């Protein structure tokens, strides 16, 4: 007799067995930071096991230890993280510290050990000598150069920051598609703009283009996570003529929530004549309180205290300034392709608005062309989820 509950149970069991077999059938692979290549949590957990076994059997292999560190850092361990601003990640760094101590014992002269020491300091400037060593001695990757660029940004050493960004750019390690994305962000904005970002992918790309290609150096990138650091925030605000923030966003969770709701408006109120933008990729918490004052002009929102029609700017950016060929057919080999396809979904708010404008004005040809492009972006992202 047909039993739907039993059937469902059998299907679930088979699915879990197949998934477990896929994970357990993994081979050791190089592990990158999530901003470059993102895998499932199960993948990272299995790579932890594989690299630990290999590193323990080959303790002088510095690459093995760094891959173990990376996999362990990227893996989410249930119960280890909390939503508290002050405690998030503390247990994770304590766990990772055990790996770093093993690296110190077995590969103390390696750049990999020095880089892991830097990474596990969670941005502590006191560990800068470890990062400097890693950037000088690294072979096979320029990743420490990017970390060094961010450290120098935090310290206000802008010339040496740009040297590190140029070295990283010359390595060719950053995604070509994400550089194009960053280019399209930069060309969306008016002269001398201030633009808020949040994550790595958009911030990295704009800084790389500014530091290595001298592209749109008039624009100041304000990463909301970097601005949580008091010394950095105070210096940057002073450079821009912006009043200091009247509270400490790291004092408690309520202060952090207040920061997310108010930092854009605070800067906009003190900016002088400089226009203010917010990247489309910035979390909703930073935009909700000012949603009615943001107009989409591409991959960024333009802040305005008074209502403005941004359709002309949006149309001009997409039709005249954006590089779009890579959205239609992406040819370079790119290990960051998964991240790129996911990030390209950020084009859709602008494209959907423009399609509506074209249809309302009777321009069916442009509407159809842009509609085809949005379908391609969605299909590429869906393909990623189905893989």
């Amino acid at each position: 007799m047909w039993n739907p509950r039993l059937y469902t149970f059998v299907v679930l069991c088979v699915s879990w067995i197949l998934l477990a077999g896929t994970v357990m059938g993994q081979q050791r692979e190089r592990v990158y930071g999530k901003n470059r290549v993102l895998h499932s949590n199960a993948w990272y957990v299995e790579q932890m096991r594989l690299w630990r076994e290999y590193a323990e059997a080959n303790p002088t292999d510095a690459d093995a230890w760094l891959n173990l560190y990376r996999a362990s850092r990227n893996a989410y361990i249930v119960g280890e993280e909390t939503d508290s601003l002050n405690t998030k990640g503390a247990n994770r760094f304590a766990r990772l510290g055990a790996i770093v101590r093993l690296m110190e014992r077995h590969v103390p002269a390696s750049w990999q050990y020095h880089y892991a020491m830097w990474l596990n300091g969670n941005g502590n400037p006191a560990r800068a000598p470890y990062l400097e060593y890693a950037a000088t001695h690294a072979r096979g990757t320029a990743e420490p150069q990017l970390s060094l660029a961010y450290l120098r940004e935090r310290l206000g050493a802008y010339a040496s920051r740009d040297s590190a960004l140029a070295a990283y750019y010359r390595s060719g390690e950053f995604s070509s598609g994400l550089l194009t994305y960053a280019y399209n962000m930069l060309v969306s904005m008016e002269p001398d703009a201030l633009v808020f970002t949040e994550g790595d992918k958009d911030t990295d790309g704009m800084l790389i283009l500014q530091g290595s290609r001298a592209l749109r150096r008039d624009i100041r990138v304000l990463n909301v996570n970097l601005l949580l650091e008091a010394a950095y925030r105070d210096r940057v605000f002073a450079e821009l003529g912006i009043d200091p923030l009247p509270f400490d966003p790291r004092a408690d969770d309520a202060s952090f929530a207040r920061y997310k709701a108010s930092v854009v408006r605070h800067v906009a109120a003190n900016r002088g004549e400089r226009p203010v933008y917010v990247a489309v990729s910035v979390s909703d918490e930073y935009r909700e309180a000012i949603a009615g004052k943001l107009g989409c002009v591409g991959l960024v929102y333009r802040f305005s205290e008074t209502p403005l029609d941004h359709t002309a700017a949006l149309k001009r950016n997409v039709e005249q300034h954006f590089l779009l060929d890579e959205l239609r057919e992406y040819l370079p080999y790119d290990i960051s392709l998964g991240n790129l396809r996911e990030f390209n979904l950020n084009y859709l708010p602008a494209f959907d608005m423009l399609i509506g404008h074209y249809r309302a004005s009777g321009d069916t040809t442009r509407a159809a062309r842009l509609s085809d492009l949005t379908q391609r972006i969605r299909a590429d992202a869906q393909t990623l989820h189905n893989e």
Side-chain angles (χ1 to χ4, degrees):
M1 180 180 294
W2 169 253
N3 187 328
R5 290 185 178 180
L6 178 60
Y7 174 79
T8 301
F9 175 76
V10 171
V11 169
L12 288 173
C13 288
V14 171
S15 299
W16 278 109
I17 291 170
L18 291 174
L19 177 61
T22 300
V23 172
M24 294 305 291
Q26 283 183 30
Q27 302 297 314
R28 290 190 317 276
E29 296 182 42
R30 182 175 176 181
V31 184
Y32 296 91
K34 287 184 176 181
N35 63 326
R36 193 168 181 205
V37 182
L38 180 61
H39 292 281
S40 69
N41 194 60
W43 188 91
Y44 290 119
V45 171
E46 179 63 5
Q47 289 296 315
M48 286 171 58
R49 183 185 69 81
L50 294 170
W51 280 112
R52 181 173 293 280
E53 289 179 354
Y54 184 83
E56 289 175 351
N58 301 271
T60 60
D61 188 332
D63 280 335
W65 289 110
L66 185 59
N67 278 296
L68 172 60
Y69 177 87
R70 276 288 196 204
S72 301
R73 183 184 175 103
N74 291 353
Y76 172 76
I77 306 300
V78 176
E80 190 173 74
E81 305 279 4
T82 74
D83 292 330
S84 169
L85 173 69
N86 292 321
T87 62
K88 186 175 176 65
N91 293 333
R92 178 168 60 122
F93 286 110
R95 169 173 58 86
L96 294 171
I99 299 173
V100 177
R101 287 190 293 275
L102 288 171
M103 296 179 74
E104 184 178 22
R105 179 192 308 171
H106 296 296
V107 290
S110 68
W111 73 263
Q112 292 92 334
Y113 158 67
H114 286 77
Y115 194 44
M117 274 291 289
W118 163 256
L119 291 173
N120 217 52
N122 200 21
N124 183 357
R127 296 198 182 187
Y130 292 100
L131 178 57
E132 296 277 359
Y133 183 97
T136 301
H137 295 87
R139 297 293 181 268
T141 180
E143 182 185 355
Q145 293 288 348
L146 187 58
S147 298
L148 188 60
Y150 272 101
L151 174 62
R152 291 170 173 173
E153 164 70 20
R154 290 167 56 204
L155 298 176
Y158 298 130
S160 58
R161 172 205 63 189
D162 290 347
S163 296
L165 288 168
Y168 184 70
Y169 173 77
R170 289 192 299 269
S171 75
E173 290 185 17
F174 196 71
S175 164
S176 170
L178 289 173
L179 278 180
T180 299
Y181 183 102
Y183 175 90
N184 288 344
M185 288 183 70
L186 287 169
V187 298
S188 296
M189 293 178 275
E190 300 168 55
D192 300 317
L194 307 176
V195 57
F196 284 92
T197 61
E198 182 179 8
D200 297 322
K201 292 183 282 294
D202 49 1
T203 308
D204 291 353
M206 286 196 289
L207 290 181
I208 290 167
L209 291 176
Q210 289 180 323
S212 64
R213 298 292 300 273
L215 179 68
R216 293 304 306 269
R217 292 173 67 92
D218 58 301
I219 293 173
R220 187 63 179 264
V221 180
L222 302 176
N223 182 285
V224 293
N225 292 319
L226 288 181
L227 290 175
L228 288 170
E229 184 179 321
Y232 175 76
R233 181 178 67 251
D234 291 345
R235 191 192 73 250
V236 169
F237 280 10
E239 291 171 359
L240 297 173
I242 295 170
D243 292 342
L245 205 64
F247 63 95
D248 178 6
R250 283 181 162 168
D252 50 43
D253 291 341
S255 297
F256 185 40
R258 179 184 175 191
Y259 168 79
K260 290 189 285 188
S262 66
V263 65
V264 176
R265 186 184 289 277
H266 175 82
V267 169
N270 293 270
R271 71 188 188 277
E273 298 300 317
R274 302 187 73 157
V276 173
Y277 295 83
V278 181
V280 173
S281 52
V282 168
S283 300
D284 291 343
E285 294 93 333
Y286 290 93
R287 295 187 277 112
E288 287 171 343
I290 54 171
K293 301 181 182 300
L294 297 176
C296 183
V297 295
L299 294 173
V300 292
Y301 296 105
R302 171 74 152 83
F303 178 89
S304 176
E305 286 286 1
T306 57
L308 295 175
D309 185 355
H310 296 91
T311 304
L314 171 60
K315 184 178 178 182
R316 181 173 60 251
N317 286 332
V318 173
E319 292 181 359
Q320 300 176 26
H321 297 157
F322 275 17
L323 302 178
L324 298 176
D325 285 348
E326 289 186 337
L327 290 174
R328 298 186 177 95
E329 194 66 53
Y330 192 66
L331 298 177
Y333 171 75
D334 192 342
I335 65 170
S336 299
L337 184 59
N339 283 350
L340 172 62
R341 286 178 170 175
E342 191 78 31
F343 219 55
N344 280 344
L345 292 171
N346 290 322
Y347 282 98
L348 298 185
F351 287 178
D352 288 342
M353 290 178 60
L354 201 51
I355 290 169
H357 167 75
Y358 287 146
R359 287 172 175 164
S361 60
D363 193 341
T364 56
T365 300
R366 280 194 173 93
R369 187 182 304 132
L370 196 55
S371 181
D372 288 344
L373 188 55
T374 63
Q375 291 177 30
R376 177 63 180 268
I377 293 170
R378 288 188 172 98
D380 283 345
Q382 188 61 44
T383 298
L384 175 68
H385 290 300
N386 291 337
E387 289 176 351

